[in-house]
Amino acid sequence: MPLLVTGSIGIDSVSTPHGRAENVLGGSAVYFSFAASQYVPVRLVGVVGEDFPDPFREMLAARNIDLSGLEVRPGSRTFRWHGRYDGSMEQAETVQVHLNVLAERGPKLPPAYADSDAVFLANTHATLQRELLGQLKGPTLAVCDTMNLWIEHERESLLATLRAVTGVILNDAEARQLTACRNLIEAGEAILHLGPRFVMIKKGEHGALLTTAEGATAMPGFPTKEVRDPTGAGDSFAGGVLGFLSAEGKSDLPSLRRAMVHGTVAASFVIEGFSLERVRHLTRKEIDARVKQFTNMLRAD
Amino acid sequence: MPLLVTGSIGIDSVSTPHGRAENVLGGSAVYFSFAASQYVPVRLVGVVGEDFPDPFREMLAARNIDLSGLEVRPGSRTFRWHGRYDGSMEQAETVQVHLNVLAERGPKLPPAYADSDAVFLANTHATLQRELLGQLKGPTLAVCDTMNLWIEHERESLLATLRAVTGVILNDAEARQLTACRNLIEAGEAILHLGPRFVMIKKGEHGALLTTAEGATAMPGFPTKEVRDPTGAGDSFAGGVLGFLSAEGKSDLPSLRRAMVHGTVAASFVIEGFSLERVRHLTRKEIDARVKQFTNMLRAD
């Protein structure tokens, strides 16, 4: 089933201890789309300015990504982010951010997309997430991300969004902030009580936790030495998860566990290069080989 | 095969957000012994003062722990530690420590123990670790722990110990300090080059990494809400690992992976209560049930 994603599409500049990349393609919906399009066709809904470079559009179009929901707004400029990672690579420091077109009205949903059966609402204002969700005919799978800004300042709206989704994928700091629970197993349960049927908490290099009504399960990160640029790891994880679930057509506990493997592998690839350099030509064969390696590694019986 | 352990035996006072325990049994060799004695007979080598309470001795004797190497030194006092955990429960703050008998000469190895085939050298001065190892006839499995103090001040001696052991089990901060590598996969490889055949890096709630010549594999922590007192988690992990390996009689990669499951489960039990309250009556049946639960949880194929 086709998978719809909406979120940011941007032009990034990033520096890490391994180097720097300037004016490269980025944004939550972009990283998600590259990962998810390995599994199912992806419908990308977002808005850029008239400065959005043609080569970036071509990079997206070269994958299994439908761009009829990509609005190029005349007179506007594309979202830009400049980030920096220190030695620990754990969290980006935002050096500069220009919201540009993201501060204007949201993207319009192409009418043909209303039948999308799965949707990922990447991090944006919770009200915009809910508005987009409301334009769909009733997806089987609706998953959202969020961030500290909305947890702190738009809590009521975020809670309404959480009541409307099937699942949520967020990081450890966000889960703790949302629930005021230090223990992440408690945090996962607390979020489950807010509405979603499943909660995935991302812990960076330490892997992820999954909480459902059946309890909590943990998964380690893929052990990797070669972290060149962590940007997009979380959105690639979500892309692997949603892509796999959409292809499977179900989201029971075993499917969710397997989806987390694909999310983990998607994240492990994207961090091996700056921006999308490692994943833009990545093949499904490479993914499947690493999935097999990781799945074998997980076994301990 | 019988498993020898040497390390601290102490009287602890601990406070955590869940309560406090005063003058309870503790020490690295004690936590290790409770976990390992679920699998094989444990030979405990250590020294206490004449103030060591009889009920503590009885608690140890009630398990599969041989106390003929437990020296009660007249005129000396037992090691005492007073620690406190804040909300994050990640690291103990040492409020007070009295080395007492630990600052005197080390324990004597009973001659009958020289044939021990497996040994765990819990954290102590690297020279003492090596001296004890030298009194054994040539164990198949010799594993050590260490700490920041020896990494910083006794580096040469520690390196000599690392050349003499089969494996090392240490935590993430220690692995980074020892190798100056931030990335733990790199750190594991660097330690492998110092001598041991396997390296296990403990990451607390985030699980553990195993590095061998065959590469690195990761394991998550057991997802638990009920962390009452983290004291002894690392030594219990080591106890589960070494106990399992001693019972298996081999330490190839699949055995090491399975051993990490037992270590993870041992740690998950001990943190459910203060001191040894959760594990002193723990049954092998309870352990095996959780091992099965955790092993099933790990599968994602």
Short mmCIF file of all heavy atoms in Angstrom, two decimals, chain A residues 186-233:
data_model
loop_
_atom_site.label_atom_id
_atom_site.label_comp_id
_atom_site.label_asym_id
_atom_site.label_seq_id
_atom_site.Cartn_x
_atom_site.Cartn_y
_atom_site.Cartn_z
N GLU A 186 8.56 2.93 31.81
CA GLU A 186 7.42 3.66 32.36
C GLU A 186 6.92 4.71 31.38
O GLU A 186 5.71 4.88 31.17
CB GLU A 186 7.80 4.35 33.68
CG GLU A 186 7.94 3.41 34.86
CD GLU A 186 8.22 4.15 36.17
OE1 GLU A 186 8.81 5.26 36.12
OE2 GLU A 186 7.88 3.63 37.22
N ALA A 187 7.87 5.41 30.75
CA ALA A 187 7.49 6.46 29.79
C ALA A 187 6.70 5.86 28.63
O ALA A 187 5.67 6.41 28.20
CB ALA A 187 8.74 7.18 29.28
N GLY A 188 7.17 4.73 28.12
CA GLY A 188 6.47 4.06 27.02
C GLY A 188 5.04 3.69 27.40
O GLY A 188 4.10 3.91 26.63
N GLU A 189 4.87 3.16 28.60
CA GLU A 189 3.52 2.80 29.06
C GLU A 189 2.64 4.03 29.21
O GLU A 189 1.46 4.01 28.86
CB GLU A 189 3.60 2.10 30.42
CG GLU A 189 3.99 0.64 30.32
CD GLU A 189 3.93 -0.06 31.66
OE1 GLU A 189 3.31 0.46 32.61
OE2 GLU A 189 4.52 -1.15 31.75
N ALA A 190 3.24 5.10 29.75
CA ALA A 190 2.47 6.33 29.94
C ALA A 190 1.99 6.88 28.60
O ALA A 190 0.85 7.36 28.48
CB ALA A 190 3.32 7.37 30.68
N ILE A 191 2.83 6.81 27.57
CA ILE A 191 2.43 7.31 26.25
C ILE A 191 1.34 6.41 25.66
O ILE A 191 0.40 6.89 25.02
CB ILE A 191 3.65 7.41 25.31
CG1 ILE A 191 4.65 8.42 25.87
CG2 ILE A 191 3.21 7.85 23.90
CD1 ILE A 191 5.99 8.46 25.15
N LEU A 192 1.44 5.12 25.90
CA LEU A 192 0.42 4.18 25.44
C LEU A 192 -0.96 4.59 25.99
O LEU A 192 -1.98 4.50 25.29
CB LEU A 192 0.78 2.78 25.93
CG LEU A 192 0.40 1.58 25.07
CD1 LEU A 192 1.07 1.66 23.70
CD2 LEU A 192 0.82 0.29 25.76
N HIS A 193 -0.97 5.06 27.22
CA HIS A 193 -2.23 5.48 27.83
C HIS A 193 -2.79 6.76 27.21
O HIS A 193 -3.94 7.11 27.44
CB HIS A 193 -2.06 5.67 29.34
CG HIS A 193 -1.87 4.36 30.07
ND1 HIS A 193 -0.91 4.18 31.04
CD2 HIS A 193 -2.49 3.16 29.92
CE1 HIS A 193 -0.97 2.91 31.47
NE2 HIS A 193 -1.92 2.29 30.81
N LEU A 194 -1.97 7.46 26.43
CA LEU A 194 -2.43 8.70 25.79
C LEU A 194 -3.14 8.41 24.47
O LEU A 194 -3.68 9.33 23.85
CB LEU A 194 -1.25 9.64 25.55
CG LEU A 194 -0.50 10.11 26.81
CD1 LEU A 194 0.71 10.96 26.43
CD2 LEU A 194 -1.44 10.91 27.73
N GLY A 195 -3.10 7.17 24.01
CA GLY A 195 -3.86 6.86 22.80
C GLY A 195 -3.25 5.87 21.83
O GLY A 195 -3.94 4.98 21.36
N PRO A 196 -1.96 6.02 21.47
CA PRO A 196 -1.41 5.16 20.41
C PRO A 196 -1.41 3.68 20.81
O PRO A 196 -1.39 3.36 22.00
CB PRO A 196 0.04 5.63 20.26
CG PRO A 196 0.13 6.92 20.98
CD PRO A 196 -0.95 6.96 21.99
N ARG A 197 -1.43 2.82 19.83
CA ARG A 197 -1.42 1.38 20.06
C ARG A 197 0.01 0.87 20.22
O ARG A 197 0.23 -0.19 20.78
CB ARG A 197 -2.10 0.72 18.86
CG ARG A 197 -2.69 -0.63 19.09
CD ARG A 197 -3.64 -1.01 17.96
NE ARG A 197 -3.07 -0.88 16.63
CZ ARG A 197 -2.07 -1.64 16.15
NH1 ARG A 197 -1.52 -2.56 16.90
NH2 ARG A 197 -1.63 -1.45 14.92
N PHE A 198 0.96 1.62 19.65
CA PHE A 198 2.36 1.26 19.89
C PHE A 198 3.22 2.51 20.01
O PHE A 198 2.91 3.56 19.44
CB PHE A 198 2.91 0.30 18.83
CG PHE A 198 3.11 0.89 17.45
CD1 PHE A 198 4.26 1.60 17.12
CD2 PHE A 198 2.13 0.71 16.48
CE1 PHE A 198 4.43 2.13 15.86
CE2 PHE A 198 2.29 1.24 15.20
CZ PHE A 198 3.45 1.96 14.89
N VAL A 199 4.29 2.37 20.79
CA VAL A 199 5.22 3.47 21.03
C VAL A 199 6.63 2.95 20.78
O VAL A 199 7.03 1.95 21.36
CB VAL A 199 5.12 3.97 22.49
CG1 VAL A 199 6.10 5.13 22.73
CG2 VAL A 199 3.70 4.38 22.83
N MET A 200 7.37 3.62 19.89
CA MET A 200 8.78 3.28 19.71
C MET A 200 9.62 4.44 20.22
O MET A 200 9.45 5.57 19.76
CB MET A 200 9.10 3.01 18.24
CG MET A 200 8.52 1.70 17.74
SD MET A 200 8.99 1.38 16.02
CE MET A 200 7.97 -0.07 15.68
N ILE A 201 10.50 4.13 21.16
CA ILE A 201 11.38 5.16 21.71
C ILE A 201 12.79 4.90 21.18
O ILE A 201 13.38 3.86 21.43
CB ILE A 201 11.37 5.15 23.25
CG1 ILE A 201 9.95 5.40 23.77
CG2 ILE A 201 12.34 6.19 23.80
CD1 ILE A 201 9.81 5.36 25.29
N LYS A 202 13.31 5.89 20.44
CA LYS A 202 14.64 5.78 19.84
C LYS A 202 15.69 6.25 20.84
O LYS A 202 15.54 7.30 21.45
CB LYS A 202 14.72 6.65 18.58
CG LYS A 202 13.73 6.29 17.50
CD LYS A 202 13.72 7.35 16.38
CE LYS A 202 13.04 8.64 16.84
NZ LYS A 202 12.96 9.68 15.79
N LYS A 203 16.78 5.47 20.96
CA LYS A 203 17.85 5.82 21.90
C LYS A 203 19.19 6.00 21.20
O LYS A 203 20.24 5.73 21.80
CB LYS A 203 17.97 4.72 22.97
CG LYS A 203 16.66 4.42 23.70
CD LYS A 203 16.91 3.56 24.94
CE LYS A 203 17.47 2.20 24.60
NZ LYS A 203 17.86 1.43 25.80
N GLY A 204 19.18 6.41 19.93
CA GLY A 204 20.44 6.63 19.21
C GLY A 204 21.25 5.35 19.13
O GLY A 204 20.72 4.29 18.81
N GLU A 205 22.55 5.44 19.47
CA GLU A 205 23.44 4.27 19.36
C GLU A 205 22.99 3.10 20.24
O GLU A 205 23.41 1.97 20.04
CB GLU A 205 24.88 4.64 19.73
CG GLU A 205 25.02 5.08 21.18
CD GLU A 205 26.48 5.25 21.64
OE1 GLU A 205 27.29 4.33 21.44
OE2 GLU A 205 26.79 6.31 22.21
N HIS A 206 22.11 3.39 21.24
CA HIS A 206 21.69 2.34 22.16
C HIS A 206 20.45 1.59 21.68
O HIS A 206 19.90 0.77 22.41
CB HIS A 206 21.45 2.91 23.55
CG HIS A 206 22.65 3.55 24.15
ND1 HIS A 206 23.83 2.86 24.30
CD2 HIS A 206 22.88 4.81 24.60
CE1 HIS A 206 24.74 3.68 24.84
NE2 HIS A 206 24.18 4.86 25.01
N GLY A 207 19.97 1.89 20.47
CA GLY A 207 18.85 1.13 19.93
C GLY A 207 17.50 1.74 20.23
O GLY A 207 17.36 2.97 20.27
N ALA A 208 16.51 0.90 20.44
CA ALA A 208 15.14 1.39 20.58
C ALA A 208 14.32 0.47 21.47
O ALA A 208 14.64 -0.71 21.64
CB ALA A 208 14.49 1.50 19.20
N LEU A 209 13.27 1.04 22.04
CA LEU A 209 12.32 0.29 22.85
C LEU A 209 10.97 0.33 22.16
O LEU A 209 10.58 1.34 21.59
CB LEU A 209 12.16 0.93 24.23
CG LEU A 209 13.36 0.89 25.18
CD1 LEU A 209 13.11 1.82 26.36
CD2 LEU A 209 13.59 -0.53 25.66
N LEU A 210 10.25 -0.78 22.25
CA LEU A 210 8.90 -0.85 21.71
C LEU A 210 7.94 -1.18 22.84
O LEU A 210 8.18 -2.13 23.58
CB LEU A 210 8.83 -1.96 20.65
CG LEU A 210 7.44 -2.41 20.20
CD1 LEU A 210 6.72 -1.30 19.46
CD2 LEU A 210 7.55 -3.66 19.32
N THR A 211 6.89 -0.39 22.98
CA THR A 211 5.87 -0.69 23.99
C THR A 211 4.52 -0.87 23.32
O THR A 211 4.11 -0.02 22.52
CB THR A 211 5.78 0.43 25.05
OG1 THR A 211 7.08 0.63 25.61
CG2 THR A 211 4.84 0.04 26.18
N THR A 212 3.86 -1.98 23.63
CA THR A 212 2.49 -2.23 23.17
C THR A 212 1.71 -2.73 24.39
O THR A 212 2.28 -2.85 25.48
CB THR A 212 2.45 -3.33 22.09
OG1 THR A 212 2.81 -4.58 22.70
CG2 THR A 212 3.41 -3.04 20.95
N ALA A 213 0.43 -3.05 24.18
CA ALA A 213 -0.37 -3.59 25.29
C ALA A 213 0.24 -4.90 25.80
O ALA A 213 0.00 -5.30 26.93
CB ALA A 213 -1.80 -3.81 24.82
N GLU A 214 1.06 -5.55 24.96
CA GLU A 214 1.68 -6.81 25.37
C GLU A 214 2.96 -6.62 26.18
O GLU A 214 3.60 -7.59 26.55
CB GLU A 214 1.96 -7.67 24.13
CG GLU A 214 0.68 -8.17 23.46
CD GLU A 214 0.90 -8.63 22.02
OE1 GLU A 214 1.27 -9.79 21.85
OE2 GLU A 214 0.72 -7.81 21.09
N GLY A 215 3.36 -5.37 26.41
CA GLY A 215 4.55 -5.12 27.21
C GLY A 215 5.64 -4.41 26.43
O GLY A 215 5.41 -3.94 25.32
N ALA A 216 6.82 -4.35 27.03
CA ALA A 216 7.96 -3.63 26.43
C ALA A 216 8.99 -4.62 25.92
O ALA A 216 9.26 -5.63 26.55
CB ALA A 216 8.59 -2.72 27.47
N THR A 217 9.56 -4.34 24.76
CA THR A 217 10.70 -5.11 24.27
C THR A 217 11.77 -4.14 23.82
O THR A 217 11.48 -3.00 23.46
CB THR A 217 10.33 -6.05 23.09
OG1 THR A 217 10.05 -5.25 21.94
CG2 THR A 217 9.11 -6.90 23.41
N ALA A 218 13.01 -4.61 23.87
CA ALA A 218 14.15 -3.74 23.55
C ALA A 218 14.91 -4.28 22.35
O ALA A 218 14.87 -5.47 22.07
CB ALA A 218 15.08 -3.66 24.75
N MET A 219 15.58 -3.40 21.65
CA MET A 219 16.44 -3.80 20.54
C MET A 219 17.70 -2.94 20.58
O MET A 219 17.60 -1.73 20.77
CB MET A 219 15.70 -3.60 19.21
CG MET A 219 16.43 -4.17 18.01
SD MET A 219 15.37 -4.20 16.54
CE MET A 219 14.23 -5.52 16.98
N PRO A 220 18.88 -3.55 20.42
CA PRO A 220 20.09 -2.74 20.44
C PRO A 220 20.27 -1.98 19.13
O PRO A 220 19.57 -2.27 18.15
CB PRO A 220 21.21 -3.79 20.59
CG PRO A 220 20.66 -5.01 19.93
CD PRO A 220 19.16 -4.98 20.16
N GLY A 221 21.17 -1.02 19.10
CA GLY A 221 21.54 -0.39 17.85
C GLY A 221 22.42 -1.34 17.04
O GLY A 221 22.95 -2.30 17.57
N PHE A 222 22.54 -1.06 15.74
CA PHE A 222 23.47 -1.85 14.93
C PHE A 222 24.87 -1.39 15.30
O PHE A 222 25.16 -0.19 15.26
CB PHE A 222 23.20 -1.60 13.44
CG PHE A 222 24.05 -2.45 12.54
CD1 PHE A 222 23.70 -3.76 12.28
CD2 PHE A 222 25.21 -1.94 11.98
CE1 PHE A 222 24.50 -4.55 11.46
CE2 PHE A 222 26.00 -2.73 11.16
CZ PHE A 222 25.64 -4.03 10.90
N PRO A 223 25.76 -2.32 15.67
CA PRO A 223 27.09 -1.89 16.13
C PRO A 223 27.90 -1.34 14.95
O PRO A 223 28.22 -2.08 14.03
CB PRO A 223 27.74 -3.16 16.69
CG PRO A 223 26.80 -4.29 16.43
CD PRO A 223 25.62 -3.80 15.68
N THR A 224 28.20 -0.08 14.98
CA THR A 224 28.90 0.54 13.86
C THR A 224 29.99 1.48 14.34
O THR A 224 29.81 2.22 15.31
CB THR A 224 27.90 1.26 12.93
OG1 THR A 224 28.61 1.77 11.81
CG2 THR A 224 27.23 2.43 13.63
N LYS A 225 31.13 1.39 13.68
CA LYS A 225 32.25 2.27 14.01
C LYS A 225 32.19 3.55 13.21
O LYS A 225 32.73 4.57 13.60
CB LYS A 225 33.58 1.57 13.64
CG LYS A 225 34.09 0.61 14.64
CD LYS A 225 35.53 0.23 14.31
CE LYS A 225 35.62 -0.52 12.99
NZ LYS A 225 37.02 -0.99 12.75
N GLU A 226 31.57 3.42 12.04
CA GLU A 226 31.72 4.45 11.01
C GLU A 226 30.57 5.46 11.03
O GLU A 226 29.72 5.43 10.14
CB GLU A 226 31.74 3.73 9.65
CG GLU A 226 32.53 4.44 8.59
CD GLU A 226 32.50 3.65 7.28
OE1 GLU A 226 32.56 2.41 7.33
OE2 GLU A 226 32.37 4.29 6.23
N VAL A 227 30.52 6.28 12.06
CA VAL A 227 29.47 7.30 12.12
C VAL A 227 30.05 8.60 11.58
O VAL A 227 30.79 9.28 12.27
CB VAL A 227 28.96 7.50 13.56
CG1 VAL A 227 27.81 8.50 13.58
CG2 VAL A 227 28.54 6.18 14.17
N ARG A 228 29.69 8.94 10.34
CA ARG A 228 30.23 10.16 9.75
C ARG A 228 29.32 11.35 10.00
O ARG A 228 29.78 12.45 10.25
CB ARG A 228 30.48 9.96 8.25
CG ARG A 228 31.71 9.06 7.99
CD ARG A 228 31.84 8.70 6.53
NE ARG A 228 31.98 9.86 5.66
CZ ARG A 228 33.10 10.55 5.49
NH1 ARG A 228 34.19 10.19 6.12
NH2 ARG A 228 33.13 11.58 4.67
N ASP A 229 28.00 11.11 9.94
CA ASP A 229 27.04 12.20 10.12
C ASP A 229 25.71 11.62 10.60
O ASP A 229 25.02 10.95 9.85
CB ASP A 229 26.84 12.93 8.78
CG ASP A 229 25.74 13.98 8.83
OD1 ASP A 229 25.27 14.31 9.94
OD2 ASP A 229 25.36 14.48 7.75
N PRO A 230 25.35 11.85 11.88
CA PRO A 230 24.14 11.25 12.44
C PRO A 230 22.84 11.88 11.92
O PRO A 230 21.77 11.36 12.22
CB PRO A 230 24.26 11.52 13.95
CG PRO A 230 25.66 12.02 14.17
CD PRO A 230 26.10 12.62 12.88
N THR A 231 22.93 12.96 11.14
CA THR A 231 21.71 13.63 10.69
C THR A 231 20.80 12.66 9.95
O THR A 231 21.23 11.95 9.06
CB THR A 231 22.05 14.81 9.74
OG1 THR A 231 23.05 15.62 10.36
CG2 THR A 231 20.82 15.66 9.46
N GLY A 232 19.53 12.67 10.32
CA GLY A 232 18.55 11.86 9.60
C GLY A 232 18.42 10.44 10.11
O GLY A 232 17.59 9.67 9.60
N ALA A 233 19.19 10.07 11.13
CA ALA A 233 19.12 8.69 11.64
C ALA A 233 17.72 8.36 12.14
O ALA A 233 17.17 7.30 11.82
CB ALA A 233 20.16 8.47 12.75
#
